[in-house]
Structures are given as C-alpha cells and as structure tokens.
Amino acid sequence: MSPGPARDKAERFRALHQERAPGDPLVLPGPWDAASARVLEAAGFPALATPSAAIAASLGYADGATPADEMFAAVARITRAVDVPVSADVEAGYGLGARELVERLLEAGAVGCNLEDSEGGVLKDPHEHAGYLAEVREAAAGRLFVNARVDTFVHGDGDVGRAVERAASYVAAGADCVYPILAPVDVLPLLRAGIPGPLNVLAGPDGDGPAPAVLGGLGATRITFGPALQRRAGDALREIAGGLPA
C-alpha cells in the first residue's frame, strides 16, 4: 500500500478513537481468519483488531509460538477480505527492528498494531521499550496506530502506580493508545485518571464480565476481546460435532 492510502486508512482508524462519549467505547472484535473477518464486517463493526492467540490457535500453534511469517500472512488474508480498517496484534514484535516491523505490517495491510511490553513472561525495561515504540512511531510516519500493551497485571506485581508509569512513558514515546491487559475492573478509574490518551480494555463477550458500555463509563476508550470469540466459535463447533454421527 502506498504511503498516502495507508496514512488515510490509519487516520480513519485513529478518528474512531477520538472524542468517545463515556459509555460509548469503540468495540473492536477480533477475527482469526478471512471468514470470521467478513462475518464481523457484515455485522456492522467499523474496524477490527486481530488477536494473536486466536490466530495462533487457527494455525495450530500455542499462544506466542506462531512464526512471524505465518502471523503476517494471516493478517494479510484478513485485511484482503474486508474493507474496514484492521489492526494487528504482533505480540512483542518478533525481534524485528522498528523499520522492518512497520514495513511488514504495512505490506500486510494493517492500519495499527498491538505491541507487548513483556517477552517470555518477563516485563521489558520500560525505558528501552518506550524507545522502541518511538522508533516504530517514527518509521510509521502516521501510517500505523500504535497500541502499547502494558503487562503489569499479567507478568508484573499488579501495582497500579507502576502500570500508570509504564503507560505514561509509552504515550510520551508516541503510542496512540495503551492496553493494561487484565487490569481489574475496579482500578480502571485510577488508570483513566493517570493515563493520557485512549485506553484499551479487555472484555468478555455475551455477559462474561461488565458490558462494554459499563467499561466505557469506567474509562475505557476501546474494547477488545482477545481470543474469546474464536474460543466461543470452537465451543459451538464442538456442540454441533457432538450431535453428528461418528
């Protein structure tokens, strides 16, 4: 994709995050292949966000074990299948330098990315990670929306102040949004008060936890579901399969 159209599509995606009213977060369901992406687009969602764990499962890998080439190829199949903007979860960046990561995301047709601040279950140095995010932002030149995942509640001690510090440093480095994954619902107002810019919150579909509107009222700018939709689809398939003659 040439720089102009890529930047235009990224700006379209970025605009969806701006001036969200409390209780009206941007809901970004996660496709794991072209077919699921088309279903979600047809349902009326204005943009999508791939979950790496769901794509891994669809390709036969454990979460975190998908080779980079296969992940980017899967993202490309999804972006080709739909007209809405698609952001891609690229885990910790697969060890790629910022410029190469940006090039591969753009080649795959993505308008944004998730980048984790842990690797192998260990939190990265926040200053080094902020530097990497700044390099990604510079290389993207406005063509990607960068969602910086904060793993304090997954691999750290769950300290809210530390999560806010890490998130604020990523925003200062140029991240468009931060994602304190698995943050307890009761700390969302504290995170919202301490973190400038959009806040991504993980939710469960179909009543698994607070509804998106409730999370929006607590400070969420956007809602994602991780691999929950793919797992729910797997449950439905198992139920259907259980009723078929073997």
Side-chain angles (χ1 to χ4, degrees), residues 44-175:
F45 292 98
L48 307 173
T50 69
S52 61
I55 289 179
S58 75
L59 297 174
Y61 293 104
D63 185 18
T66 308
D69 287 350
E70 293 198 45
M71 183 62 75
F72 286 113
V75 171
R77 288 192 291 272
I78 289 169
T79 65
R80 285 197 300 266
V82 295
D83 292 325
V84 296
V86 177
S87 182
D89 182 349
V90 288
E91 303 179 291
Y94 307 110
L96 300 174
R99 188 164 298 280
E100 183 178 358
L101 177 67
V102 167
E103 289 174 355
R104 298 204 65 176
L105 283 162
L106 294 174
E107 286 172 0
V111 301
C113 64
N114 276 17
L115 283 169
E116 303 168 7
D117 69 344
S118 68
E119 196 157 19
V122 178
L123 289 173
K124 296 181 177 181
D125 178 275
H127 302 293
E128 292 180 4
H129 189 61
Y132 181 62
L133 291 172
E135 292 174 2
V136 169
R137 183 63 186 267
E138 181 180 6
R143 295 172 292 172
L144 290 173
F145 183 98
V146 178
N147 187 34
R149 205 176 92 171
V150 180
D151 286 359
T152 309
F153 299 98
V154 183
H155 302 303
D157 58 8
D159 182 83
V160 176
R162 192 165 291 114
V164 168
E165 289 175 3
R166 295 176 80 92
S169 70
Y170 303 157
V171 173

Side-chain angles (χ1 to χ4, degrees), residues 27-32 36 40 45 48-49 51 54 203-206 208 224-236:
V27 177
L28 296 174
W32 55 94
S36 60
L40 295 170
F45 292 98
L48 307 173
D206 292 341
D208 294 343
T224 53
F225 303 98
L229 296 178
Q230 185 266 337
R231 291 172 181 171
R232 188 67 60 86
D235 291 341

